């Protein structure tokens, strides 16, 4: 399908922030992408419009029962001035995987990709250029039936907004302190854990707030059944370097199949680093720390890319990682991924798509 996208440009462009002022997700560009869905008609009227509020009735289904999905990916401006999206096809795939779990009708992958390239092209001047900055692309689908019965909606809105961003954590690449939580869980087998849906993030807030009040940056989630196995760190996937091996939990339904997780695993394997996707008990992490074999811990995610963990606190015990410093593989992965994103290194896996 090669449906035409209507473009209505703003008559009142906004001032753009300087790269040095950028935080995460506070500033939005001049335009947004919209597309509607109606049962029996399918997805229709793909269009770019000036960025602005949505007009929705208070009865709108998504406000009550959270039938929604979102994605997050980035566009980078390279030193060569070119604008590249990082692994957009993977994000399209995940949109439809999440849609299936949330009873949201599937989207045409080609049209979703075009919604991103078209919108980024319209707001091209908003893509910042300093290393560490990017244009964050936030697609979402929401259920918009004005109806209070609990059932899948018959109408939906797909929208995409853009936000020029800097570092996700104010700490930047400084190792963060993480609290291991065993009083709350993020996901259980058969639940929503592997879906990119707002409900998972709502479920995480209380634990993260409690951790923050105790001086931690984020939480480390354990599995929802045994509360023993490491699952995710904050909103990111987690990797640990124990001895000579890098270990990360397997994708068995409770953790998000991260695009940066996949990129990191691909690079590690290409570098000949032994990698295992297997369950990791928190006791194994404690014992490795005691034995001196816990060498590095990092999170992977689109927003922060690679985020070093300097300390884990579990039931009052402090597990310090690499004396709180950034590890060698953590740094190497960050540098390698960022180099591909900004086009300063070759892209052998064809992860980038130029706009
Ligand atoms: C990420 O990109 O790492 C995230 O999942 C964070 C996002 C929800 C802001």
């Amino acid at each position: 399908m090669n449906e035409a996208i209507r473009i209505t440009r703003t008559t009142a462009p906004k001032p753009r922030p300087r790269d040095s002022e950028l935080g995460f997700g506070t500033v939005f560009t001049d335009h947004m992408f919209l597309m509607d869905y109606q049962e029996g008609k399918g997805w229709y009227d793909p269009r770019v419009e000036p960025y602005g509020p949505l007009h929705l009735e208070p009865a709108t289904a998504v406000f009550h029962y959270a039938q929604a999905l979102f994605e997050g990916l980035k566009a980078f401006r390279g030193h060569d001035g070119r604008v590249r999206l990082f692994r957009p096809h993977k994000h399209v795939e995940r949109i439809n995987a999440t849609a299936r779990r949330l009873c949201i009708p599937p989207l045409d992958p080609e049209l979703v990709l075009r919604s991103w390239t078209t919108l980024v092209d319209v707001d091209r001047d908003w893509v910042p250029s300093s290393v560490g900055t990017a244009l964050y692309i936030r697609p979402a689908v929401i259920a918009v039936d004005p109806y209070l019965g609990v059932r899948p909606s018959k109408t939906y809105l797909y929208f995409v907004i853009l936000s020029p961003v800097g570092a996700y954590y104010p700490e930047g690449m400084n190792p963060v302190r993480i609290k291991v939580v065993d009083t709350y869980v993020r996901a259980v087998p058969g639940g929503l854990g592997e879906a990119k849906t707002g409900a998972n993030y709502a479920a995480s807030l209380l634990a993260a707030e409690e951790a923050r009040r105790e001086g931690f940056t984020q939480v480390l989630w354990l599995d929802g059944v045994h509360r023993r196995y490491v699952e995710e760190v904050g909103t990111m996937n987690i990797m640990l370097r124990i001895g000579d091996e890098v270990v990360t939990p397997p994708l068995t339904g409770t953790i998000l199949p991260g695009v940066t997780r996949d990129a990191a695993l691909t690079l590690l394997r290409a570098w000949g680093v032994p990698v295992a996707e297997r369950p990791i008990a928190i006791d194994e992490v404690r014992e490795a720390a005691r034995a001196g074999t816990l060498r590095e811990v990092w999170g992977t995610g689109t927003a922060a890319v690679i985020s070093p963990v300097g300390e884990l606190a579990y039931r009052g015990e402090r597990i310090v990682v690499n004396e709180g410093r950034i590890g060698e593989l953590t740094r190497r992965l960050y540098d390698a991924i960022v180099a591909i994103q900004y086009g300063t290194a070759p892209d052998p896996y064809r992860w980038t798509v130029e706009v």
Side-chain angles (χ1 to χ4, degrees), residues 3-6 33-36 43-48 111:
E3 203 171 336
I5 296 172
R6 268 193 306 124
F33 186 98
L34 302 167
M35 178 164 64
D36 301 295
W43 289 103
Y44 65 97
D45 198 13
R47 59 201 185 273
V48 172
L111 185 54

Side-chain angles (χ1 to χ4, degrees), residues 28-263:
F28 303 96
T29 65
D30 285 325
H31 298 89
M32 61 184 177
F33 186 98
L34 302 167
M35 178 164 64
D36 301 295
Y37 177 92
Q38 206 179 300
E39 198 177 69
K41 187 169 175 182
W43 289 103
Y44 65 97
D45 198 13
R47 59 201 185 273
V48 172
E49 291 185 359
Y51 179 91
L54 302 174
H55 297 282
L56 295 167
E57 290 187 38
T60 301
V62 69
F63 296 145
H64 304 273
Y65 309 124
Q67 195 198 359
L69 64 80
F70 73 95
E71 264 304 320
L73 70 158
K74 284 173 169 173
F76 300 87
R77 188 185 296 282
H79 301 303
D80 53 6
R82 294 185 181 172
V83 173
R84 296 172 179 85
L85 306 187
F86 188 67
R87 308 199 71 181
H89 297 95
K90 270 279 199 219
H91 290 276
V92 176
E93 246 174 57
R94 199 169 60 184
I95 282 194
N96 277 333
T98 302
R100 195 184 158 277
R101 183 63 180 84
L102 272 298
C103 294
I104 291 171
L107 289 104
D108 171 18
E110 188 272 334
L111 185 54
V112 170
L113 185 60
R114 246 177 346 114
S115 72
W116 302 341
T117 52
T118 305
L119 186 63
V120 170
D121 189 38
V122 169
D123 280 335
R124 176 179 293 271
D125 290 349
W126 284 82
V127 185
S129 56
S130 315
V131 170
T133 67
L135 188 66
Y136 187 74
I137 305 171
R138 168 53 59 87
V141 179
I142 56 173
V144 293
D145 277 4
Y147 175 61
L148 296 184
V150 178
R151 56 133 172 84
S153 185
K154 295 175 194 296
T155 55
Y156 297 86
L157 176 68
Y158 167 76
F159 63 84
V160 187
I161 56 175
L162 305 175
S163 175
V165 298
Y168 185 71
Y169 289 126
E171 288 95 331
M173 265 301 267
N174 291 324
V176 293
R177 295 184 63 222
I178 300 290
K179 179 185 172 186
V180 182
V181 284
D182 56 7
T183 45
Y184 303 105
V185 297
R186 177 186 169 277
V188 290
L192 294 175
E194 67 183 345
K196 190 103 180 145
T197 186
N200 284 330
Y201 298 79
S204 77
L205 296 176
L206 182 57
E209 271 310 284
E210 289 183 5
R212 203 181 50 79
R213 269 185 244 124
E214 292 166 36
F216 299 97
T217 300
Q218 258 302 347
V219 300
L220 188 150
W221 298 103
L222 298 177
D223 76 281
V225 175
H226 312 280
R227 304 199 183 186
R228 246 185 89 196
Y229 296 97
V230 167
E231 295 232 311
E232 292 194 17
V233 58
T235 60
M236 292 183 291
N237 295 120
I238 185 166
M239 297 187 179
L240 303 95
R241 186 181 185 194
I242 300 178
D244 290 327
E245 192 178 53
V246 172
V247 291
T248 193
L251 301 178
T252 50
T254 54
I255 69 172
L256 192 81
V259 175
T260 312
R261 173 187 184 277
D262 183 83

